[in-house]
């Protein structure tokens, strides 16, 4: 019986490989990093934690290196995923884009309106309207994956596609509404480097180093231009080749796929947890329960919990009801509702936009974190509970009915 057991020395390595190959692991690690940040920020190490983030290295604070530097690699991965899905993935045809696209649009508009309902009369906080409009794909998929076979694969595909479109919307919002004073010379350098990158793509250059070297220069130029530096990551991603010059289908060794597979573990297991640790820390010293009733945290929390649920589920249900798209295969209306609740987990992107909205106000920054925590925890708990309670058998009648309708 013991002959099939692995030697004791190999078990840790096998555990690490299994953990890193599990799509839920990145979300779990992010949760641990956020919880650790809260513990440290409310411990005797609090002063060292905040002082370290404000320590300057090579002209930028460590906090800025994380948010402007490391997160540029996160946005590079986001851009690679968007391009791949648009050209050869779940968003490659309009029929595939309709349901997640409409749901993503509703899931960005309604939370922003909920936030503005609480903050439109406050010029100090109105700038944060986009904070609850974002979905944390790693966190949401992590919760969904923990539920296992209770959730049809089609709903995981729907959530992934929706979150990718949501990320694209967040990138556009950051570019349009969270840009500082512009430097035209730096923008000119960035435009020149972008033109060279596009030229490399057009001439069929498939070696990654030229793109990455120019990408570092692009990041520096965008940083100096006043446009948020992370947008350089998305812009660079869109120039990385996926298909040959002839336009044939992508091959498994395409530069975009190689780069995506290469940086994904670093983003999921290092960059995003580091970002979570650096940005989730909020000291509760001197706070009282009244902070939860402030217009800023309340607008964020309800925007994520109620706004996302109403926006995603309402628009998706209406789109299906009107016949513009079909229900994801094997899924029930109740399961779709549960996934809509999970879309209210806004952690990483919401904290990121919050840092852009209120960069010079620690008090508002703390209120943002409280609102994001509350809304994300409510959404994760309610979504997981709904999906756990809804039996997979509930999807069978609608699936059989759809098949009967097609047969008729």
């Amino acid at each position: 019986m013991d002959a099939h057991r692995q030697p004791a020395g190999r078990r840790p390595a096998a555990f690490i490989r299994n953990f890193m190959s599990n799509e839920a692991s990145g979300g779990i690690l992010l949760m641990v990093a956020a919880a650790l940040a809260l513990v440290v920020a409310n411990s005797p190490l609090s002063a060292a934690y905040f002082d370290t983030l404000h320590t300057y290295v090579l002209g930028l604070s460590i906090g800025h290196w994380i948010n402007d530097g490391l997160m540029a690699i996160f946005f590079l991965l986001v851009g690679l995923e968007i391009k791949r899905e648009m050209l050869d993935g779940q968003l490659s045809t309009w029929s595939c884009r309709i349901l997640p696209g409409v749901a993503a649009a509703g899931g960005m508009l309604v939370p922003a309106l909920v936030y503005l309902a609480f903050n439109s009369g406050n010029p100090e906080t109105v700038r944060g309207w986009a904070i609850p409009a974002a979905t944390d794909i790693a966190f949401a998929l992590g919760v969904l994956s923990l539920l296992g076979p209770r959730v049809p694969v089609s709903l995981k595909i729907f959530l992934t596609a929706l979150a990718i479109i949501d990320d694209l919307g967040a990138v556009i919002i950051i570019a349009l509404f969270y840009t500082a004073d512009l430097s035209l010379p730096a923008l000119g350098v960035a435009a020149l480097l972008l033109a060279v990158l596009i030229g490399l793509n057009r001439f069929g250059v498939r070696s990654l180093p030229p793109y990455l070297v120019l990408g570092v220069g692009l990041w520096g130029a965008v940083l100096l231009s006043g446009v948020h530096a992370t947008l350089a990551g998305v812009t660079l991603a869109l120039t990385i080749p996926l298909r040959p010059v002839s336009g044939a289908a992508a091959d498994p060794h395409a530069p975009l796929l190689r780069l995506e597979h290469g940086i994904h573990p670093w983003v999921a297991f290092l960059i995003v947890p580091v970002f979570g640790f650096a940005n989730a820390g909020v000291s509760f010293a001197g706070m009282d329960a009244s902070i939860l009733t402030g217009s800023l945290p309340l607008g964020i929390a309800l925007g994520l919990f109620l706004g996302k649920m109403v926006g995603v589920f309402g628009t998706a249900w209406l789109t299906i009801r009107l016949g513009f798209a079909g229900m994801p295969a094997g899924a029930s209306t109740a399961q779709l509702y549960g996934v809509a609740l999970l879309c209210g987990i806004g952690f990483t992107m919401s904290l990121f936009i919050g840092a852009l909205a209120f960069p010079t106000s620690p008090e508002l920054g703390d209120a943002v974190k409280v609102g994001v925590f509350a809304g994300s925890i409510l959404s994760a708990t309610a979504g997981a509970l709904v999906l756990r309670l809804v039996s997979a058998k509930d999807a069978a009648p609608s699936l059989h009915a759809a098949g009967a309708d097609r047969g008729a």
Side-chain angles (χ1 to χ4, degrees):
M1 186 171 68
D2 294 338
H4 297 288
R5 292 182 179 176
Q6 288 185 327
R10 294 184 184 177
R11 288 175 191 163
F15 172 79
I16 292 172
R17 283 196 302 271
N18 291 335
F19 181 81
M20 294 186 69
S21 64
N22 188 334
E23 61 180 324
S25 300
I28 294 171
L29 196 57
L30 176 58
M31 297 178 208
V32 172
L36 183 60
L38 285 173
V39 171
V40 171
N42 292 277
S43 75
L45 297 174
S46 175
Y49 170 80
F50 290 109
D51 289 344
T52 299
L53 291 176
H54 290 94
T55 300
Y56 275 74
V57 178
L58 299 176
L60 293 176
S61 70
I62 290 178
H64 278 111
W65 276 115
I66 293 170
N67 292 347
D68 294 353
L70 287 181
M71 286 301 283
I73 303 175
F74 167 82
F75 277 90
L76 170 61
L77 179 63
V78 168
L80 295 171
E81 291 176 340
I82 290 171
K83 180 173 181 177
R84 172 176 53 77
E85 295 295 342
M86 286 290 188
L87 294 180
D88 286 293
Q90 299 160 13
L91 302 174
S92 58
T93 63
W94 282 109
S95 60
C96 294
R97 297 169 189 162
I98 290 175
L99 187 61
V102 170
M108 299 188 80
L109 177 62
V110 178
L113 293 176
V114 171
Y115 179 90
L116 290 174
F118 287 90
N119 292 274
S120 59
N122 188 342
E124 187 180 23
T125 60
V126 70
R127 182 173 166 79
W129 62 270
I131 296 172
T135 294
D136 189 314
I137 184 171
F139 218 136
L141 284 175
V143 174
L144 199 62
S145 298
L146 291 174
L147 295 169
R150 292 183 180 87
V151 182
V153 174
S154 62
L155 278 183
K156 296 180 181 180
I157 294 173
F158 167 76
L159 177 59
T160 302
L162 184 152
I164 288 171
I165 298 172
D166 189 285
D167 283 345
L168 179 59
V171 168
I172 294 172
I173 287 172
I174 292 169
L176 294 179
F177 298 101
Y178 295 103
T179 294
D181 295 333
L182 296 178
S183 167
L184 293 181
L187 273 179
V189 173
L192 178 62
L193 290 171
L194 178 59
V196 175
L197 285 163
I198 294 173
L200 291 177
N201 184 305
R202 292 290 184 181
F203 283 104
V205 176
R206 295 172 65 81
S207 174
L208 280 173
Y211 292 96
L212 299 181
V213 170
L214 290 171
V216 173
L218 179 65
W219 174 83
V222 172
L223 177 67
L224 296 174
S225 73
V227 178
H228 200 271
T230 52
L231 298 180
V234 177
T235 307
L236 171 62
L238 300 181
T239 68
I240 305 295
L242 175 64
R243 295 174 176 172
V245 178
S246 62
D251 67 80
H253 304 292
L256 184 146
L257 298 178
R258 286 190 280 118
L259 182 58
E260 182 182 353
H261 294 157
I263 67 173
H264 184 274
W266 294 97
V267 170
F269 298 106
L270 178 63
I271 291 174
V272 170
V274 166
F275 171 84
F277 181 75
N279 287 273
V282 54
S283 175
F284 296 114
M287 288 188 185
D288 54 41
S290 64
I291 191 173
L292 290 173
T293 61
S295 63
L296 177 59
L298 198 58
I300 293 172
L302 293 181
L304 287 170
F305 181 58
L306 294 179
K308 276 288 186 181
M309 178 265 291
V310 172
V312 172
F313 179 74
T315 54
W317 179 86
L318 188 61
T319 301
I320 295 169
R321 184 78 173 176
L322 294 176
F324 294 113
M327 179 73 73
S332 67
T333 302
Q335 288 172 320
L336 182 65
Y337 174 72
V339 169
L341 283 167
L342 292 184
C343 290
I345 304 174
F347 197 81
T348 304
M349 197 68 82
S350 292
L351 289 177
F352 185 79
I353 295 176
L356 297 181
F358 309 113
T360 60
S361 175
E363 295 80 11
L364 293 179
D366 286 347
V368 166
K369 294 173 185 178
V370 170
V372 171
F373 291 155
S376 297
I377 291 171
L378 279 173
S379 298
T381 303
L385 185 61
V386 167
L387 290 170
R388 183 174 288 274
L389 292 176
V390 175
S391 170
K393 294 180 180 179
D394 292 343
S398 61
L399 182 61
H400 294 324
D405 291 341
R406 284 194 296 269

